Amino acid sequence: MDGFAVQADATFGAGPHNPLQLRLFEHAYPVNTGRPIPAHTNAVIMIENVNFLDDEIFEIESAVTPWKNVRRVGEDFVASEMVLPGRHTISAYELGALIAAGAHEVSVVRKPHISLIPTGSELAPADKLDAAAAKQGLVPEYNTVILAGIIEQLGGVADRRPIVPDDYDALKAALLDAVRSDSDMVVINAGSSAGSEDYTAALIRDLGEVLVHGVAMMPGKPTILGIVENKPVIGNPGYPVSAVISFEVFAKPIIETMLRLPESARPTLEAVSARKIPSKLGQEEFFRVKLGNVAGRVIAAPLPRGAGSITTLTKADGILRIPAASEGIDQGSHVRVELLRKLDEIHRTLVMIGSHDLTLDVLADELIEHDVYLSTSHVGSLGGLLALKNKTAHFAASHLLDAATGEYNWSYIRRYIPDIPVRVVNGVMREQGFIVPKGNPVNIKSFEDLARPDVRFINRQAGAGTRVLLDYYLEKEGIDPDSIIGYDMEEYTHTSVAVAVLSGVADVGMGVPAAAYALGMDFVPLAVEEYDLVIPEEYLEDEKIKALLEVLRSRRYKERIQALGGYGIAKTGQEIPESAS
Amino acid sequence: MDGFAVQADATFGAGPHNPLQLRLFEHAYPVNTGRPIPAHTNAVIMIENVNFLDDEIFEIESAVTPWKNVRRVGEDFVASEMVLPGRHTISAYELGALIAAGAHEVSVVRKPHISLIPTGSELAPADKLDAAAAKQGLVPEYNTVILAGIIEQLGGVADRRPIVPDDYDALKAALLDAVRSDSDMVVINAGSSAGSEDYTAALIRDLGEVLVHGVAMMPGKPTILGIVENKPVIGNPGYPVSAVISFEVFAKPIIETMLRLPESARPTLEAVSARKIPSKLGQEEFFRVKLGNVAGRVIAAPLPRGAGSITTLTKADGILRIPAASEGIDQGSHVRVELLRKLDEIHRTLVMIGSHDLTLDVLADELIEHDVYLSTSHVGSLGGLLALKNKTAHFAASHLLDAATGEYNWSYIRRYIPDIPVRVVNGVMREQGFIVPKGNPVNIKSFEDLARPDVRFINRQAGAGTRVLLDYYLEKEGIDPDSIIGYDMEEYTHTSVAVAVLSGVADVGMGVPAAAYALGMDFVPLAVEEYDLVIPEEYLEDEKIKALLEVLRSRRYKERIQALGGYGIAKTGQEIPESAS
C-alpha cells in the first residue's frame, strides 16, 4: 500500500480521541505499493490515514497491527512449489507467473515441423495461375494452404514445398528431400488413390513401408499411412474436403503427440437432425452440417456430400460423424455434432430454409453488422413452408403463385401450414425469365420454344416457386411437359441452372436475371414475381428477426440489391397482408 | 474421375452381353481426376470399367450417361456469389475457399497496434533482474508481458515500451511518444490509483481528457479511461490480477471493435458453489474459481481474493462474476462461470480437498501423463472429510491422529462421514516437526519451548492435521495453549508457515521437513505420521481415480517423492484397513 512503513508497536495507543504523532525518517518511512519496506519496520499506515502537521511530523488516529498492509515474501510463490505442471501450453497469464516466479528459462517441446508436398500435373501455385493457364486446365493448389493453416493452429510449423508433377522420379526426389530435412513428418497431397498417376503408395513402399492404404471413412477413403527413414509419411487424398478430414483424423493426433499434448477434441453439441441422413454401412461418414437454434432446439441440416466442394466446409457449422456400423439417422433424431464455430455464433444464427435468391448473400452480409449470422438452405419455396412446420427454420423464403387468384404464398400457407400463424414480408420483387447463353444462340422467346426438338431445357426441382411458375405458364399455354427435353433434369438454385446452361448441359433454363448477368449470359424476361419472407409470429420478438426486418427496411440494403439489377424494391420490408378472400 | 473422356452417345447400347469397343484418341481420351475433359466429350468412363484389348482399343460393358463422372464448372463457386461474409476471421478452410474462388486479394482490417507503457520505479525488465537488483527491492515487470500475450491472442499487435520510472515528465514524454506513433491505443500500467507517485490521471488530464477514473469493480477499481490526441489511453491498475481483469473488461472490447469483430465472450458453464462467497455490495467482484465435475455436478471453489497473486489466475479454471447489486452467494447456489480452460479439461480434473502436502505437486505432474488434471484446495484434514460429505471433492487428504488409539483418520471418518463408504490409501509417511530459521537461533527443541515468552509461534488453522498433532502433544505434556504467543495466528499450508518464519513474522511453526528444506531453513523432527488419501467407494471405478492409484503405486512416483527428503514410501499406495475396534 502507498503510505508509511512503521514498527507496529510505535502506533499502539493511537485513537480518535488520542491522536499519536510520528516523525518522518525516525518512526516512519514513505513507501509505495510494490516496494519493499525498510528493515525493522513491520506494518504500513495507509497514506489516507495520516494527517501532516508540518513537513516532518504527521498524526494518526488509529494503530496498525504487525504486518498490516504488508505482503509477505512467498504469498504467491515459494521455492520448490510447482508453478506449472508439464505437458501444458503456456498461456499469457502463465508467462507472467513464470516471470514472477523467476523462471526465466523453461524447457519446452520443439514445434513439430511438417513438410507438405503438393503433387499433380494439373496444379499451379495460386499466385501464378493466370487466365491463360486456367484455360489450359491448370487449377490452383490450395490443399496445402489449408493444411498449413491447420498445422500452425495446432502449434506446429508448416513447410509448404513446391508442386511436384505426376512423375514417379520427381516425387521420389521430393519425398527423399523432405524426409531428410528437419521435418518430423511428411504429407504428400494427393496421388493416394489407385489412378494411373497415383504414385504415392508405390513410392512409400519402395522407400519404406506402407502401413495402411485405404481407410473405412468417407470422405478420406484413399489415405495412406507409411514410414520412410523412420519418419511418418502420409498420403493424403486429393479432394479438398477429403484432404482436410483425413488430415484431421490421422495427422492431427500425430502432431499433438509430438507436442506432448493430449489429443484435442472439438467441443460438441447435441442437435436434432433436420432430415433423414442415409449413410453407407461399413464406413464412417463425416457430414458437414449447418446448425441453428430454432424454438429452443439446435437443428442440424446436412450440406451436400461432395468431397470436391470446399464450400461445404466453409459453410458448415459442425461435423456430424455417422459410425461405420450405422445405416444413417432419421429425421428428428438426436445427434452429437462437433462444433466448427463458437457456440455463441450458433445461437446468434438466423436459419432460413426455402427458395434461393441472390439477395440472400447481401442480407447475410448486412446482418453481420447486427451480430446476426444468416444460415440459408435452398430447398425451394414449398420446402421452406414445410421447414416452418417442422420448426427447423426461423423463416422461409417463398414465391409460390396461386394461379387462380394471382396472389403469392398465402393460399399455400393456408393449405400447408394452417396451424402456424405467420407474417409475410416482402423480400424483393423480381423478374423471372429464361436464362440463355450470350446472344441467345438457339433463339428462345416463348414457352413454346421450350418444346422444340433442338432445345434442351434444365428445370428446377418440384416445389420450387420457379417450377410452379413454369407449370402455370405451360398449363395456361397448353404445352405438354413431356414434350420438353430436360423437363425432368433438375437443379436446386438459380445459379446452378445458369451454370448448367453456361457449361452446355442445357440450352435454356428458367430463373432470375441476376443469375444470368453474374455469368455474363443473356436473360429473356417473362414476368415479375413476389419473393417473400414467411415469418412465424412466435419469432417476431426474437432479436435476430428484429434485426432481419431492420435490415430489409434500411436504405443501404435496398441500394445494394438495386445494384444487382433485375430487382424491384418498392415493397421490400413491407408486410403483405392476407387477402380478404 | 480417373478414366476416359467420351461422348456419352458413343457408349449407348453397351451391356454385359453386348460389349462395345472404343478406340483411344478417336472415341476416348485418358483423363485423371481434377483435369478438364477435352472439348466434344461430356462423360468419363472410370478406369476400373474398361478392358483393354490392345494398346489402342478397349471394351466396355455398360454405357455412361451425359455428364457422368464429370464435375461441372460452378459446382462450388459461381461468379457473384459471396464466398465469405464480412466481419469475419479467415480460417484455414476459408483460405482454401478464397484461393479456389480465385480471390487472391481480399481487403482485411488492419491489426490494431496497442502500446504498453510499464511504469514504476520499483520495476526492472525480467531478463535484467539479477540477485543484487532484487535485493535492492526491484521487482520484475511482467504485467505488460501478460497484456501483450492477450493482445496477440485477440489478433492485435503489442508494442511493449521501456519501463518508465515514477516521474511525471518522463511519463509524459513516453505517453506523447506512444500516442504519436502508429499505435491505435495506449495502455499505461500502472500508476492509476491515488498514491503520491501515481501520475497517470494527472497526465491524461493535462494532455487530453479523463473520461473515467475509478470503476465499481474488484479487482480493477483504479482504472482510468481517457483520450489523448484522439486516441484512447487507459490507465491500468498495477496489481497483476487487477491489470488483467481491467484490461479484459475495458481494453479488449476496444480492440475487438477496432478489428470490426463482435465482442467475444468466454464459454460459460453452470456450476455449484462449493462454499458461501460474500461479495461487497456496490461493486462487481471477479472471483477466480477452481472447477471440477464431482458426482455429476460441476463444483466451483473460489481461490483467494488477493489481486497481487498472479497464481490465483494461473490456478483458476474459471471466473465467477458477482454483480454489484449482490452481497454474495450461498454454498450450493447455482452460478454461471466463465471458462478459462477447455470444458474437456474440467471434466478430466480430479478434485482433492483437504490437507496440504508438497507431494501433491509431484502427483499433479505425474497425473498429467494420464491426461488427468489435479485440482487441490488446502483447507486442512477435517475440511477435506467435510468436502466428501458435501460431494465437492473426488478425494480428501487427511492425517488426523486419534490420540486414544494412535490410529490415523478412521475414527474421524466414523464420526464425521459415517454414511459415506470410503477407502483409505496411504499417500506417504512423513515427519512432522518444528520449522525454524537456519541454525535454530531461538533454540527450539521441545513443545515446552513454544511457551517461552521470547518465542513467537505461528499456528495452523483449526481442523488441520498438524494442528491436531500439536494439540495432542500440548495436552499430553500439560502445556496451556494460552501460554503460547501466536497460538491464535493461523496459516493454511506448510509452506506458508515456513514463509512466516523465514520472513520474521514468527520464530517457529510446525510442519513437514520438505517445507523447511525448500527454503533453506532448519527442521526439528518430532514424529512420523500417516498422510492418507480418503476416497469414497462410489468413485473407485472412475478412470481418474484409477489413474491416481496407478501413479501412487508407480516406482517413478515413489522415487520422485523420496528425492524431496523427509518422506517414507513404504506404505505409499497401499490401502489402510479400518482397525477391528
Side-chain angles (χ1 to χ4, degrees):
Chain A
M1 287 284 182
D2 294 328
F4 300 91
V6 292
Q7 254 293 347
D9 309 10
T11 69
F12 291 173
H17 303 297
N18 184 27
L20 189 88
Q21 292 183 5
L22 294 172
R23 181 179 287 272
L24 224 50
F25 303 107
E26 183 176 320
H27 310 107
Y29 305 85
V31 285
N32 275 291
T33 305
R35 294 299 202 89
I37 54 172
H40 308 298
T41 65
N42 66 358
V44 170
I45 305 168
M46 285 168 70
I47 197 160
E48 294 90 322
N49 298 339
V50 309
N51 188 12
F52 269 91
L53 302 181
D54 62 31
D55 280 359
E56 293 186 353
I57 295 175
F58 63 79
E59 219 170 56
I60 55 170
E61 295 188 350
S62 63
V64 287
T65 51
W67 311 108
K68 179 78 179 173
N69 298 327
V70 175
R71 285 175 57 197
R72 292 210 299 269
V73 167
E75 190 182 292
D76 218 3
F77 297 103
V78 177
S80 91
E81 271 190 335
M82 183 172 64
V83 181
L84 299 175
R87 292 187 62 192
H88 184 89
T89 305
I90 298 172
S91 72
Y93 300 169
E94 290 167 348
L95 271 182
L98 287 172
I99 296 174
H104 295 171
E105 280 185 23
V106 288
S107 298
V108 295
V109 174
R110 176 178 184 266
K111 290 187 170 198
H113 290 227
I114 315 296
S115 288
L116 300 171
I117 304 176
T119 173
S121 297
E122 77 283 11
L123 299 176
D127 53 350
K128 283 175 189 147
L129 185 68
D130 55 19
K135 271 251 156 61
Q136 288 166 34
L138 288 177
V139 297
E141 196 287 306
Y142 58 83
N143 283 359
T144 64
V145 176
I146 303 178
L147 302 186
I150 297 172
I151 290 167
E152 303 280 347
Q153 237 170 322
L154 289 172
V157 176
D159 161 39
R160 283 181 64 216
R161 297 186 157 238
I163 294 167
V164 180
D166 291 321
D167 176 286
Y168 181 89
D169 292 324
L171 195 58
K172 180 177 175 179
L175 176 58
L176 281 177
D177 191 53
V179 161
R180 290 170 185 170
S181 74
D182 72 347
S183 276
D184 300 300
M185 177 160 72
V186 179
V187 178
I188 301 175
N189 197 105
S192 63
S193 64
S196 62
E197 293 173 5
D198 290 338
Y199 299 119
T200 307
L203 181 58
I204 297 175
R205 197 173 301 113
D206 293 350
L207 297 178
E209 190 183 355
V210 170
L211 304 172
V212 169
H213 188 185
V215 291
M217 62 187 265
M218 197 171 100
K221 190 159 171 263
T223 297
I224 303 165
L225 307 178
I227 301 269
V228 173
E229 302 195 358
N230 284 320
K231 290 186 180 177
V233 175
I234 294 185
N236 216 38
Y239 283 130
V241 180
S242 314
V244 168
I245 289 184
S246 175
F247 189 86
E248 291 184 338
V249 168
F250 296 103
K252 178 174 152 285
I254 298 176
I255 295 171
E256 289 173 328
T257 301
M258 288 172 172
L259 282 164
R260 300 196 63 218
L261 290 174
E263 189 178 341
S264 65
R266 293 196 179 101
T268 64
L269 179 73
E270 182 159 287
V272 172
S273 177
R275 60 173 178 80
K276 186 179 167 69
I277 309 176
S279 173
K280 199 171 160 187
L281 201 65
Q283 58 188 19
E284 185 175 17
E285 277 208 67
F286 291 70
F287 287 88
R288 285 78 77 199
V289 296
K290 294 203 70 82
L291 297 170
N293 183 339
V294 182
R297 301 186 310 171
V298 176
I299 305 295
L303 285 156
R305 274 181 157 85
S309 174
I310 182 69
T311 53
T312 61
L313 266 183
T314 56
K315 286 184 179 152
D317 301 315
I319 303 269
L320 167 60
R321 296 189 187 203
I322 299 189
S326 164
E327 286 192 86
I329 52 171
D330 289 327
Q331 179 174 18
S333 305
H334 287 254
V335 291
R336 205 145 257 288
V337 175
E338 295 173 21
L339 283 177
L340 293 172
R341 292 200 206 295
K342 288 183 192 156
L343 185 56
D344 181 44
E345 285 184 30
I346 306 297
H347 289 302
R348 285 192 278 120
T349 295
L350 200 51
V351 180
M352 186 309 276
I353 298 184
S355 172
H356 173 244
D357 188 77
L358 280 82
T359 56
L360 292 172
D361 278 355
V362 180
L363 194 57
D365 199 42
E366 287 292 324
L367 278 169
I368 296 234
E369 299 290 331
H370 294 256
D371 289 347
V372 172
Y373 299 87
L374 180 64
S375 158
T376 65
S377 296
H378 311 131
V379 300
S381 297
L382 205 53
L385 297 184
L386 297 175
L388 298 184
K389 190 174 184 174
N390 295 333
K391 291 187 187 287
T392 55
H394 293 112
F395 70 101
S398 176
H399 56 118
L400 291 163
L401 173 65
D402 183 339
T405 63
E407 189 193 47
Y408 281 86
N409 298 319
W410 276 113
S411 66
Y412 291 83
I413 290 167
R414 282 191 297 267
R415 192 187 320 162
Y416 291 101
I417 50 170
D419 301 333
I420 302 178
V422 298
R423 302 284 174 88
V424 175
V425 174
N426 182 246
V428 77
M429 300 302 290
R430 64 182 191 184
E431 288 184 295
Q432 282 271 15
F434 296 132
I435 295 171
V436 292
K438 191 82 190 164
N440 195 359
V442 292
N443 195 29
I444 305 289
K445 286 180 175 162
S446 68
F447 289 97
E448 280 172 9
D449 291 325
L450 299 186
R452 277 164 37 199
D454 63 323
V455 170
R456 291 163 306 148
F457 184 66
I458 179 86
N459 207 348
R460 287 292 306 281
Q461 85 279 17
T466 304
R467 170 82 165 250
V468 170
L469 198 66
L470 171 75
D471 291 344
Y472 165 74
Y473 280 107
L474 293 182
E475 197 182 340
K476 191 172 157 190
E477 305 198 8
I479 299 163
D480 179 6
D482 285 347
S483 67
I484 299 174
I485 300 166
Y487 180 85
D488 54 350
M489 278 187 70
E490 297 177 351
E491 288 287 355
Y492 277 73
T493 68
H494 296 276
T495 37
S496 46
V497 163
V499 165
V501 175
L502 184 68
S503 61
V505 173
D507 299 309
V508 56
M510 205 169 149
V512 297
Y517 299 155
L519 297 175
M521 301 167 76
D522 272 352
F523 179 77
V524 182
L526 293 165
V528 170
E529 65 165 14
E530 211 176 285
Y531 177 83
D532 292 334
L533 309 184
V534 183
I535 308 169
E537 288 184 357
E538 69 170 306
Y539 307 136
L540 285 178
E541 289 306 304
D542 186 315
E543 292 303 321
K544 300 185 289 293
I545 290 288
K546 287 184 181 173
L548 169 74
L549 295 174
E550 193 177 326
V551 167
L552 283 175
R553 290 165 187 165
S554 70
R555 177 202 285 226
R556 185 162 109 167
Y557 176 69
K558 291 177 186 171
E559 285 174 357
R560 283 186 70 178
I561 59 176
Q562 266 190 305
L564 296 174
Y567 289 110
I569 55 153
K571 291 188 180 179
T572 296
Q574 287 180 24
E575 205 172 316
I576 310 286
E578 188 171 2
S579 64
S581 69
Chain B
M1 286 284 183
D2 295 328
F4 300 90
V6 292
Q7 254 292 346
D9 309 10
T11 69
F12 290 173
H17 303 297
N18 185 26
L20 190 87
Q21 293 183 7
L22 294 172
R23 181 178 286 272
L24 222 51
F25 302 107
E26 184 175 320
H27 309 108
Y29 306 84
V31 285
N32 274 290
T33 305
R35 294 298 203 89
I37 54 172
H40 308 297
T41 65
N42 66 359
V44 170
I45 305 168
M46 284 168 71
I47 197 159
E48 295 90 322
N49 297 338
V50 309
N51 188 11
F52 270 91
L53 303 180
D54 62 30
D55 278 359
E56 293 186 353
I57 295 176
F58 63 80
E59 221 171 53
I60 55 171
E61 295 188 349
S62 62
V64 288
T65 51
W67 310 109
K68 178 78 181 174
N69 297 329
V70 174
R71 285 175 57 197
R72 293 208 299 270
V73 167
E75 190 183 292
D76 216 4
F77 297 103
V78 176
S80 91
E81 272 190 335
M82 183 173 64
V83 181
L84 300 174
R87 291 186 63 191
H88 184 89
T89 306
I90 298 172
S91 71
Y93 301 168
E94 291 167 349
L95 271 182
L98 288 171
I99 296 174
H104 295 171
E105 280 186 19
V106 290
S107 299
V108 295
V109 174
R110 175 178 185 267
K111 291 188 170 196
H113 290 228
I114 315 297
S115 288
L116 301 171
I117 304 176
T119 173
S121 297
E122 77 282 13
L123 299 176
D127 53 352
K128 285 178 187 143
L129 185 68
D130 54 21
K135 271 250 155 63
Q136 288 165 35
L138 288 177
V139 296
E141 196 287 304
Y142 59 83
N143 283 357
T144 65
V145 176
I146 303 178
L147 302 185
I150 297 171
I151 290 166
E152 304 280 347
Q153 238 171 322
L154 288 171
V157 176
D159 161 38
R160 283 180 64 215
R161 296 184 159 240
I163 294 167
V164 180
D166 291 322
D167 176 286
Y168 180 89
D169 292 325
L171 194 58
K172 180 177 174 179
L175 175 58
L176 281 177
D177 190 54
V179 161
R180 290 170 185 169
S181 74
D182 71 348
S183 277
D184 301 300
M185 177 160 72
V186 179
V187 178
I188 300 174
N189 197 104
S192 63
S193 66
S196 61
E197 293 173 7
D198 290 338
Y199 298 119
T200 307
L203 180 58
I204 298 175
R205 196 174 302 114
D206 293 350
L207 298 178
E209 191 183 354
V210 170
L211 304 171
V212 168
H213 187 184
V215 291
M217 61 187 267
M218 197 172 102
K221 190 158 172 262
T223 297
I224 303 165
L225 306 177
I227 302 270
V228 173
E229 301 193 358
N230 284 319
K231 289 187 180 176
V233 175
I234 294 185
N236 216 38
Y239 283 129
V241 179
S242 314
V244 168
I245 289 183
S246 176
F247 189 86
E248 291 184 339
V249 168
F250 297 103
K252 177 175 153 285
I254 298 176
I255 295 171
E256 289 173 328
T257 302
M258 288 172 173
L259 284 163
R260 299 197 63 221
L261 290 173
E263 189 178 340
S264 64
R266 293 195 179 100
T268 64
L269 178 75
E270 183 161 287
V272 172
S273 176
R275 61 175 179 78
K276 187 178 166 69
I277 309 177
S279 172
K280 200 170 160 189
L281 201 66
Q283 58 187 21
E284 186 176 16
E285 278 207 68
F286 291 69
F287 286 89
R288 285 78 77 199
V289 296
K290 295 204 71 82
L291 297 171
N293 183 339
V294 182
R297 302 185 310 170
V298 176
I299 304 297
L303 285 156
R305 272 181 158 87
S309 174
I310 182 70
T311 53
T312 62
L313 266 182
T314 56
K315 286 184 181 154
D317 301 314
I319 303 269
L320 167 61
R321 295 190 187 202
I322 299 189
S326 164
E327 287 191 86
I329 51 170
D330 289 327
Q331 179 173 20
S333 305
H334 287 254
V335 291
R336 204 144 257 291
V337 175
E338 296 173 22
L339 283 177
L340 293 172
R341 293 199 207 293
K342 288 183 192 156
L343 186 56
D344 181 43
E345 286 184 31
I346 307 297
H347 289 301
R348 284 193 277 120
T349 296
L350 200 50
V351 180
M352 187 304 279
I353 299 184
S355 171
H356 172 246
D357 189 79
L358 280 83
T359 56
L360 292 172
D361 278 354
V362 180
L363 194 56
D365 199 43
E366 288 292 323
L367 279 168
I368 295 236
E369 299 290 332
H370 295 256
D371 289 345
V372 172
Y373 300 87
L374 179 65
S375 159
T376 64
S377 295
H378 311 131
V379 300
S381 298
L382 204 54
L385 297 184
L386 296 175
L388 298 184
K389 189 173 184 176
N390 295 332
K391 291 188 187 287
T392 56
H394 293 112
F395 70 100
S398 176
H399 56 119
L400 291 164
L401 173 65
D402 183 339
T405 64
E407 189 191 47
Y408 279 86
N409 299 317
W410 276 112
S411 66
Y412 291 83
I413 291 168
R414 282 191 297 268
R415 191 185 323 160
Y416 290 101
I417 51 170
D419 300 332
I420 303 178
V422 297
R423 303 284 174 89
V424 175
V425 174
N426 181 247
V428 78
M429 300 302 290
R430 64 181 191 184
E431 287 183 295
Q432 281 271 15
F434 295 131
I435 296 171
V436 292
K438 190 83 191 166
N440 196 358
V442 292
N443 194 27
I444 305 287
K445 287 182 174 161
S446 68
F447 288 97
E448 281 172 10
D449 289 325
L450 301 185
R452 276 162 41 196
D454 63 322
V455 170
R456 292 163 307 148
F457 184 66
I458 179 87
N459 206 347
R460 287 292 306 284
Q461 84 279 17
T466 305
R467 171 81 165 249
V468 170
L469 197 67
L470 172 75
D471 290 345
Y472 165 74
Y473 280 108
L474 294 182
E475 197 183 341
K476 192 172 156 190
E477 306 198 7
I479 299 164
D480 179 6
D482 284 348
S483 67
I484 299 174
I485 299 166
Y487 181 85
D488 55 350
M489 278 189 71
E490 296 176 352
E491 287 288 355
Y492 277 73
T493 67
H494 295 276
T495 37
S496 46
V497 164
V499 165
V501 175
L502 184 69
S503 61
V505 173
D507 298 309
V508 56
M510 204 168 151
V512 297
Y517 298 154
L519 297 175
M521 300 167 75
D522 274 352
F523 178 77
V524 181
L526 293 166
V528 171
E529 64 164 14
E530 210 175 284
Y531 178 81
D532 292 334
L533 310 185
V534 183
I535 309 169
E537 288 184 356
E538 68 170 307
Y539 307 136
L540 285 178
E541 289 307 304
D542 186 314
E543 292 303 321
K544 300 187 288 296
I545 289 289
K546 286 184 180 172
L548 170 73
L549 294 175
E550 193 178 325
V551 166
L552 283 176
R553 290 165 186 165
S554 70
R555 179 201 284 226
R556 186 162 106 165
Y557 176 68
K558 291 178 187 171
E559 284 173 357
R560 283 185 72 178
I561 58 174
Q562 265 190 306
L564 296 175
Y567 288 111
I569 54 153
K571 291 188 179 179
T572 296
Q574 287 180 23
E575 207 173 316
I576 309 285
E578 188 172 2
S579 64
S581 67

